[in-house]
Each structure stands twice: as C-alpha cells, then as structure tokens.
Amino acid sequence: MKTRITSWCKNANDEKFLLALELIPETNMVKCMQFKDEDITDNLIEELNSKWKNHEEIELPAHEIKETELKVDTIIPEGLTPEKESDIAVKVNEWNFIVLSAKLYQSYKSELDELKDRIDRTDQFDKGIWENLKSFWSKVQDQLREKNLFREHGNLLKEVTNELFSKQKELRTKMDKEFNLESGKNKQNIYGELDLIDDKIKEAKRLQAVFDELKKIQQKLKNLKLNKEDRSKVWERIDKTFKDVKEKKFGSSGQAGGASALDRLEKRYKGLIEAIKKMENSINRDKSDLEYQNNRNKNFVNQLEAQINIAKIAMIDERIRSKSEKLAEMNKTRVDLEKKKTFLESQEQKKAEEAKVNKAKEEIKERIANQIEDKSDDPKLQKLADTIKDGAEKLKEAAEKVEDKLEDLVDKVEDKLEELAEKAEEKKDKLEDAVEDLAEKAINKAKDLAEKVKSEIEDTIDKLKGDETEEQDDK
C-alpha cells in the first residue's frame, strides 16, 4: 500500500489546487504539500506520479506545507474538497490500516527488544527465554498469515528473531556439552560406589547395611545431574546389585534350601501381624490411661495439678492419634501383602501342578520304555515289527513307481504345451498379416475418399467464383 498520493481539490472560492499527501505511520500524521493551479506543470504532475510517489527526491515549486492528524473519515485538510471523494475514502481506510499495522509492528518490536536485551545479558541457555522466543514468533506468524502485518515488517522481525534463536542454540549446545561431561563424571562416581558394594556382597558381611547403602545411592540418584543414557545405565547397574544382595541374603528361589518369594513374604507378613497386635495393645493402654486421667480431672482442687492433668490428657491424645495413623498404615500394608500373598500362592500352586504333570509324563515315558525293553524278545512283537518293516518296503516301492509315472506325465504335458505354443505363434503371425492388410486397405480407401471430397470442394468454390463474376458483369 502506497503512503504517498496526489489529489485535485477546490476551496470555497472554487480555486483549484493539487495536493501531494504523505502518510507518516509512526506519528499518525498526514503531511500535505499544496500547489496552486498556476504553478502546476505537466512535468510536475508526471514527476509526482512517477518518482515522488516512489519516494524519490524531485525539485518542487513554491508550495504550502501542512501537517494534520489522520482522521477516520478524511485525509484532506479542512476547507478543501477533493474532486474524487471515492478515491480518498478508499485511501483513508488503507491508511488507517497502515497506521494500526505499524502500531502492531512497534508493539512486537518492543517485545523483541526486551527479549534481545535479556539474551544479551546472559551467557547461559535459559529455557524460559527459549519458550518466550518460540511463543513470540508463533504470534508474529499468526499475524502474517492474517495479513495484519506487512511483509517487510515481518522480515525485519524474522531477521532479529533468527539471530536470537541462533544465540540460544549456541548456548544450549555449550550447556549440553558441559552437562554431558558432568553426567559422565557422576556416572563413574556412582559406578565406583557400586564396585565397593559388589566387594562387600562377595564377602557376605552385614548385607543389611549394604542394602541400606544401595537405598541411599538410589535416593541420591534422583537429584544427580545425568543425561538420559547415563541415567538408564546407572539404574540398570543398581537393579543388578539389588538382585545380587537379595540372592546372597535370601538365596535363589530356584536353589535347594533357598527361600522363595512366598516364604519371604510369609515371614514379613507374620512379623507385620505381630507388630499390628503390639500397636493395638499399646493404643488400648493409652486409651485406658486417657479414661483414667479424664475421670481424675473432675476431682482436682489445686489449679496447677489440674493444668498438669490437662497437659497429660493432650499428650496421651496426641500419642493415640500418632499411633492410630501408624496402625492405619500398617493395616494398609497388611492388605497389600495379603493380595500379593494370594497371587504368589496361586503362582506356586500353578508351578506345583505343572511340576506334577511333568513328573507324571516322565513316569509314563519311563514305564513305556521299560515295557518295550522287557518285551523286546516277545515273538509276537518281533513278527509285528517284521510286518511293519515289510509294509514300509512295499510303500517305498509303490512311491517310487508313482514318482516315475508322474515324471512321464510331466514330460508329456510339457511336450503338449510346446506344441500348442508353436501353433499359437503361427496363428499370431497370420493374424498380424491380416490386420496389416486390412489397415493398408482402410488407409488407401480413406485417401481416395479425401481426394474425392477435396475435388468436390474445389469444384464448388470455382462454381461460386464464376457465379459471382457473372453477377458483377450483369451490374
């Protein structure tokens, strides 16, 4: 959209003027150069329209300059009336849009300047700035798609935004490199601690303490700087070490004398039940003490003793509350263990049944093998074996004969197919010859027909020309 236009106008005295109007979008002002009719030449009009409108410098005659604020209804100074009001109305709307678009650009430029200032003041990658930059450019792209921003303004914003993205990428690459170096060091430190634990596991001394050390390493790992690959490898190593400790402490579930998962759970479950009973008894004792103190509180005369009694009641109340919370957690654990116990029992039962079936299969196989071995000298069995052997030989001979017959049949079929293929090829050649003859005849016939039509057309044209000549002669 152009920001410079010319317009012929008249004042109240019907005097004619040429206006050269220029929009200043940044200030929302219209600069107006007013030329009198007697000062206007064809050369001036041509230069205004061809050069000045395209922001080229030209020599101007004497003129009056005014600056007025862009209004929503006109851009012509007061006291003047344009010859083409419709053109001015169109330009008013365009210039209002240009001003608003320029304000939008300035708003985005200010936002971008703030981001640039933040990036220039930091020497480390900032994820928050990165996300703000992405969000900013997404907004600009939306405005460009809606054509609320001019392309040149969009290009200016894009150029600066790309520079800021490049700086952030460089900082992120540097940060990633430093992070990966630190991650590698942290991984090796953890490996060193796990190596020491592996030595303790081999000695099989104080395995519970080793187990506790592993838990501490596991907790420390949560706040340790590790990249994804290193963290995955460290977790695998820790899991393996946990399994080694459990196997050393409880034995493998598959080994003779080793405690199975169900046995360990049973032991834990029994211990938990005992602890729940003790906790319930302790709470009941506290409740008895509380009832005693409450009854005693009614008989105090000394205020100090009454206050001490109230403090004791509050202390017992808090103790009961705390123990009740622990009891609730213990009961929750009990429910979880019972579910796990039920699952493990079903698994054990399934394994036992499978083992039983496998054992029965092995016993049947062994029994059959023994029976065959015991009866291997039986004449009837020997005769049956001979019969089976003879039958197998006969089947083999029959199969060979069938194979020979099949080969003969295949040879005959192949010969027949070759014969048919040769006949088909001969028919194909004959058919092609016939088609070529027909095509040639058709072409010749078409040529004859074309020549005949052409001749008739030429005769008709000659006849029409002769008639036209005769008419002219008659006239």
Side-chain angles (χ1 to χ4, degrees):
M1 295 181 186
K2 292 188 178 295
T3 56
R4 288 183 174 183
I5 64 167
T6 57
S7 176
W8 287 98
C9 298
K10 291 181 180 180
N11 61 13
N13 298 324
D14 208 28
E15 294 174 325
K16 198 172 182 181
F17 298 93
L18 178 65
L19 301 184
L21 302 160
E22 180 180 5
L23 173 68
I24 315 296
E26 295 76 15
T27 58
N28 194 32
M29 299 296 287
V30 177
K31 180 181 176 182
C32 176
M33 294 186 291
Q34 186 172 321
F35 302 95
K36 294 180 179 180
D37 190 21
E38 57 267 21
D39 296 329
I40 299 168
T41 63
D42 291 339
N43 185 55
L44 174 63
I45 295 172
E46 184 180 350
E47 287 197 329
L48 284 172
N49 290 328
S50 61
K51 293 183 179 180
W52 180 78
K53 283 185 179 180
N54 294 317
H55 297 269
E56 294 182 26
E57 295 299 326
I58 62 172
E59 289 187 13
L60 298 171
H63 59 277
E64 184 181 350
I65 298 177
K66 293 180 181 179
E67 275 199 12
T68 58
E69 186 177 359
L70 177 64
K71 300 176 182 178
V72 295
D73 55 349
T74 185
I75 53 178
I76 302 298
E78 291 184 8
L80 296 175
T81 303
E83 287 186 352
K84 297 181 179 179
E85 291 189 4
S86 59
D87 291 348
I88 297 300
V90 170
K91 193 52 65 176
V92 166
N93 290 326
E94 287 182 0
W95 282 11
N96 277 316
F97 174 79
I98 289 173
V99 169
L100 293 173
S101 180
K103 287 181 179 179
L104 184 64
Y105 164 70
Q106 289 298 329
S107 170
Y108 282 140
K109 186 176 180 298
S110 298
E111 187 177 348
L112 189 59
D113 288 341
E114 289 180 10
L115 285 169
K116 185 177 184 301
D117 183 58
R118 288 176 63 188
I119 291 172
D120 289 341
R121 285 188 286 104
T122 183
D123 57 353
Q124 291 183 338
F125 175 77
D126 188 322
K127 191 174 181 181
I129 293 177
W130 177 265
E131 292 300 325
N132 288 342
L133 201 55
K134 282 169 62 179
S135 175
F136 167 79
W137 183 241
S138 178
K139 289 190 296 184
V140 172
Q141 284 182 312
D142 288 341
Q143 296 299 336
L144 287 170
R145 276 194 294 270
E146 295 295 327
K147 297 183 179 178
N148 294 333
L149 275 175
F150 289 109
R151 184 57 57 185
E152 55 268 25
H153 286 163
N155 289 337
L156 291 171
L157 294 172
K158 183 179 181 180
E159 185 178 346
V160 178
T161 304
N162 285 342
E163 289 178 6
L164 299 182
F165 269 125
S166 297
K167 286 184 180 179
Q168 283 289 286
K169 286 176 182 177
E170 288 174 7
L171 292 174
R172 185 172 63 181
T173 301
K174 180 183 174 183
M175 184 190 74
D176 288 343
K177 188 176 180 180
E178 293 172 353
F179 183 81
N180 288 333
L181 286 172
E182 187 175 358
S183 174
K185 290 178 183 178
N186 289 333
K187 182 184 76 171
Q188 291 305 321
N189 291 338
I190 294 291
Y191 278 3
E193 294 181 34
L194 293 173
D195 288 339
L196 295 174
I197 288 176
D198 287 340
D199 294 337
K200 293 179 182 179
I201 293 171
K202 291 175 183 176
E203 295 173 2
K205 293 180 180 179
R206 298 186 64 197
L207 291 175
Q208 184 57 47
V210 171
F211 200 81
D212 293 338
E213 283 183 47
L214 271 175
K215 285 185 176 179
K216 288 179 182 178
I217 292 175
Q218 201 175 36
Q219 288 296 322
K220 183 170 69 173
L221 195 63
K222 293 179 180 178
N223 300 320
L224 209 59
K225 288 185 177 180
L226 290 166
N227 60 35
K228 189 176 180 180
E229 184 181 356
D230 289 343
R231 188 174 294 277
S232 176
K233 289 180 179 178
V234 170
W235 274 114
E236 287 177 7
R237 178 76 186 276
I238 289 175
D239 287 342
K240 181 182 178 301
T241 308
F242 264 119
K243 289 176 182 176
D244 292 343
V245 174
K246 289 179 181 178
E247 187 172 337
K248 200 75 173 178
K249 186 175 182 180
F250 302 109
S252 175
S253 59
Q255 293 175 349
S260 67
L262 182 60
D263 293 335
R264 295 197 297 271
L265 191 139
E266 283 278 10
K267 185 177 178 182
R268 184 182 172 191
Y269 181 74
K270 287 178 182 177
L272 180 63
I273 294 298
E274 289 296 324
I276 288 173
K277 287 180 180 177
K278 288 179 182 178
M279 184 62 74
E280 288 175 342
N281 292 335
S282 178
I283 291 172
N284 288 332
R285 286 195 298 272
D286 287 338
K287 286 181 178 178
S288 296
D289 288 347
L290 181 63
E291 185 179 357
Y292 171 73
Q293 294 296 339
N294 282 328
N295 291 333
R296 219 173 143 232
N297 191 31
K298 300 173 184 176
N299 302 321
F300 284 123
V301 177
N302 188 310
Q303 187 177 1
L304 182 59
E305 288 183 2
Q307 289 175 346
I308 291 172
N309 186 257
I310 290 171
K312 280 184 177 181
I313 290 172
M315 185 173 61
I316 295 169
D317 270 334
E318 180 59 27
R319 201 159 58 216
I320 290 172
R321 186 196 64 76
S322 176
K323 289 180 181 180
S324 297
E325 287 180 358
K326 290 179 182 177
L327 180 62
E329 286 293 324
M330 293 165 77
N331 278 315
K332 185 180 177 182
T333 305
R334 175 182 59 79
V335 172
D336 291 340
L337 289 179
E338 286 172 350
K339 289 179 181 178
K340 193 179 289 185
K341 182 182 173 185
T342 302
F343 173 74
L344 289 175
E345 285 174 346
S346 66
Q347 292 293 103
E348 290 287 335
Q349 185 179 358
K350 187 178 178 181
K351 288 180 182 178
E353 289 174 355
E354 288 177 355
K356 190 175 179 181
V357 170
N358 290 333
K359 185 179 179 182
K361 286 180 180 179
E362 291 297 325
E363 289 177 353
I364 291 170
K365 285 181 182 179
E366 189 176 351
R367 195 182 307 129
I368 291 172
N370 291 334
Q371 287 177 356
I372 291 172
E373 188 176 350
D374 293 341
K375 296 181 179 181
S376 59
D377 296 331
D378 192 335
K380 290 181 179 180
L381 286 174
Q382 189 63 42
K383 186 178 179 181
L384 179 61
D386 293 338
T387 303
I388 293 171
K389 186 176 180 181
D390 292 339
E393 290 294 333
K394 289 178 180 178
L395 283 172
K396 185 178 179 182
E397 290 175 5
E400 289 175 354
K401 289 178 180 179
V402 169
E403 188 176 353
D404 292 338
K405 289 182 178 180
L406 284 173
E407 287 179 358
D408 292 339
L409 182 61
V410 168
D411 292 337
K412 289 178 181 178
V413 169
E414 286 179 350
D415 293 339
K416 190 68 176 175
L417 286 173
E418 288 178 2
E419 184 181 344
L420 290 171
E422 289 175 359
K423 289 181 179 179
E425 190 67 30
E426 291 176 3
K427 288 183 177 180
K428 178 186 174 186
D429 293 339
K430 290 179 180 178
L431 184 60
E432 287 178 352
D433 292 339
V435 170
E436 286 179 3
D437 290 341
L438 286 172
E440 190 175 353
K441 288 178 182 178
I443 291 168
N444 292 333
K445 191 172 182 180
K447 285 181 178 178
D448 293 340
L449 182 61
E451 288 293 333
K452 187 177 179 182
V453 171
K454 181 181 177 183
S455 177
E456 289 178 356
I457 290 171
E458 288 176 350
D459 291 343
T460 304
I461 290 171
D462 291 339
K463 186 178 179 182
L464 288 172
K465 284 182 178 179
D467 292 342
E468 186 177 349
T469 304
E470 289 178 2
E471 286 179 3
Q472 287 178 355
D473 292 340
D474 292 340
K475 289 179 180 180

